Amino acid sequence: MARKISWVSAIDASNDGQILELENKLSDFYANNKSYYSNIDYTATNWNNPKELAYQEIKKACATSDQICEFGCGAANILASDINIEARYTGCDFSAELMQKNKSKYPTATFNTIETPNLLPFADNSFDLLFSVFVFEHSTRPHVLLDECKRVLKKGGKLIIFCPDFLGRGGISSQQGGWSEGTPSQKIKKGKILDGLVTAYDNRVKVPRFCEQKIKEGAPQFLINVDPTVFYFKFRPDVDAVYVTFRDDFLSYLKADFEYQPNSLEMSDYEKSKKLLYMSFIKK
């Protein structure tokens, strides 16, 4: 595995081969990682935490929406926080086993299995509210997923995107620094002095500079890391994230069909402090 920054644009057709290869490798990884959903289910309590503004805003939107869909729903933790929306809630994810468990736990909700990456298993104009929580960064073709969001939302429906701000923060969790697994301090403690110093340089200088240059080039780009560390090192959350999420990608791509709803000052501060993106759009 090299230190090379292997990020390619998902909307450039010349990169289709690399992205298809990535999709196949990710499919194999998810099929063989039986503990994946339990490993990433660490934000369940956020739905009841008043300081987690994004989660509370999503709950408010759900309270006033008729047909609600969460794509990439995992264990559908929002339902444990607000059972009143169960009958109006539809969730979908890749694990048929997990979707069946969700059905048993929340019998009046609807759960569908996603069969094809980036495609939502629903009819056109199905929902009044569509939202995702830490999902887009795992999309290999985020522009296609956005097209799907447009397709399944009703006119006047709301789309909420909640994800990391990888390009804006200057790096993605799945980008390798140095030549081996670990942080600079971990490597130095093991006696890998040069590797630790190179890792620090990669994380703090090389990758952030690359991000700055890409931001200057404009959007949408939808940069995909086709060589994520999930294929090399021990799993931890977001080493399988591949889309280098960026606000201007969403704004530029959706502007023809959606109206952006600016955040409150409080939400903007929340985003900045946590280096996250919370974006709300209304379908025209």
Side-chain angles (χ1 to χ4, degrees), residues 5 77 116 167 254 265:
I5 300 176
N77 289 315
T116 305
L167 196 63
L254 293 174
L265 290 177

Side-chain angles (χ1 to χ4, degrees), residues 54-55 58 132-135 137 160-164 270 276-278:
Y55 293 85
I58 292 173
S132 65
V133 176
F134 299 126
V135 171
E137 66 270 27
I160 296 176
I161 297 168
F162 182 36
C163 65
Y270 171 86
L276 300 173
L277 295 176
Y278 179 89

Side-chain angles (χ1 to χ4, degrees), residues 240-282:
D240 59 326
V242 293
Y243 168 37
V244 192
T245 45
F246 183 42
R247 182 186 303 276
D248 286 1
D249 281 351
F250 295 111
L251 292 174
S252 180
Y253 195 79
L254 293 174
K255 65 182 179 181
D257 301 297
F258 286 82
E259 179 182 347
Y260 174 59
Q261 306 289 292
N263 287 334
S264 66
L265 290 177
E266 189 178 20
M267 182 63 79
S268 295
D269 289 342
Y270 171 86
E271 281 187 311
K272 184 177 180 180
S273 67
K274 292 182 174 289
K275 298 181 180 180
L276 300 173
L277 295 176
Y278 179 89
M279 308 186 75
S280 177
F281 300 87
I282 301 297

Side-chain angles (χ1 to χ4, degrees), residues 43-272:
T43 62
T45 59
N46 288 354
W47 292 107
N48 290 320
N49 185 346
K51 294 182 179 180
E52 292 290 349
L53 297 186
Y55 293 85
Q56 306 317 311
E57 284 299 307
I58 292 173
K59 287 174 67 175
K60 289 178 184 177
C62 288
T64 58
S65 300
D66 290 330
Q67 295 299 318
I68 303 163
C69 178
E70 178 182 9
F71 59 96
C73 67
N77 289 315
I78 189 175
L79 294 181
S81 173
D82 186 2
I83 202 65
N84 293 322
I85 68 170
E86 181 178 333
R88 294 178 279 127
Y89 175 95
T90 296
C92 63
D93 217 317
F94 286 98
S95 172
E97 179 181 358
L98 181 57
M99 294 304 97
Q100 189 57 51
K101 288 181 179 178
N102 288 349
K103 288 179 182 179
S104 298
K105 189 173 183 179
Y106 304 110
T108 65
T110 301
F111 293 95
N112 291 34
T113 302
I114 299 174
E115 302 291 346
T116 305
N118 304 300
L119 299 183
L120 300 178
F122 308 112
D124 297 357
N125 307 308
S126 294
F127 301 104
D128 302 290
L129 172 64
L130 183 64
F131 73 91
S132 65
V133 176
F134 299 126
V135 171
F136 264 96
E137 66 270 27
H138 302 286
S139 172
T140 53
R141 303 176 196 268
H143 60 301
V144 174
L145 183 52
L146 288 172
D147 289 341
E148 284 289 277
C149 291
K150 174 190 171 185
R151 181 182 65 79
V152 303
L153 264 179
K154 299 176 183 177
K155 184 177 180 180
K158 177 177 283 191
L159 169 65
I160 296 176
I161 297 168
F162 182 36
C163 65
D165 181 18
F166 282 134
L167 196 63
R169 71 169 68 165
I172 188 170
S173 307
S174 61
Q175 173 63 45
Q176 172 61 12
W179 300 296
S180 65
E181 183 177 10
T183 65
S185 60
Q186 288 171 341
K187 294 177 182 182
I188 290 172
K189 286 180 180 179
K190 292 179 180 179
K192 300 179 180 180
I193 308 299
L194 180 58
D195 192 9
L197 294 174
V198 171
T199 301
Y201 170 79
D202 287 347
N203 293 347
R204 299 172 189 174
V205 180
K206 178 182 176 182
V207 176
R209 282 180 179 174
F210 185 87
C211 290
E212 288 176 4
Q213 180 57 43
K214 288 301 178 182
I215 288 174
K216 290 178 182 178
E217 292 176 9
Q221 299 181 75
F222 296 106
L223 294 171
I224 305 299
N225 179 13
V226 295
D227 193 26
T229 55
V230 69
F231 300 134
Y232 304 96
F233 301 138
K234 182 179 179 180
F235 181 82
R236 56 185 175 81
D238 275 356
V239 293
D240 59 326
V242 293
Y243 168 37
V244 192
T245 45
F246 183 42
R247 182 186 303 276
D248 286 1
D249 281 351
F250 295 111
L251 292 174
S252 180
Y253 195 79
L254 293 174
K255 65 182 179 181
D257 301 297
F258 286 82
E259 179 182 347
Y260 174 59
Q261 306 289 292
N263 287 334
S264 66
L265 290 177
E266 189 178 20
M267 182 63 79
S268 295
D269 289 342
Y270 171 86
E271 281 187 311
K272 184 177 180 180

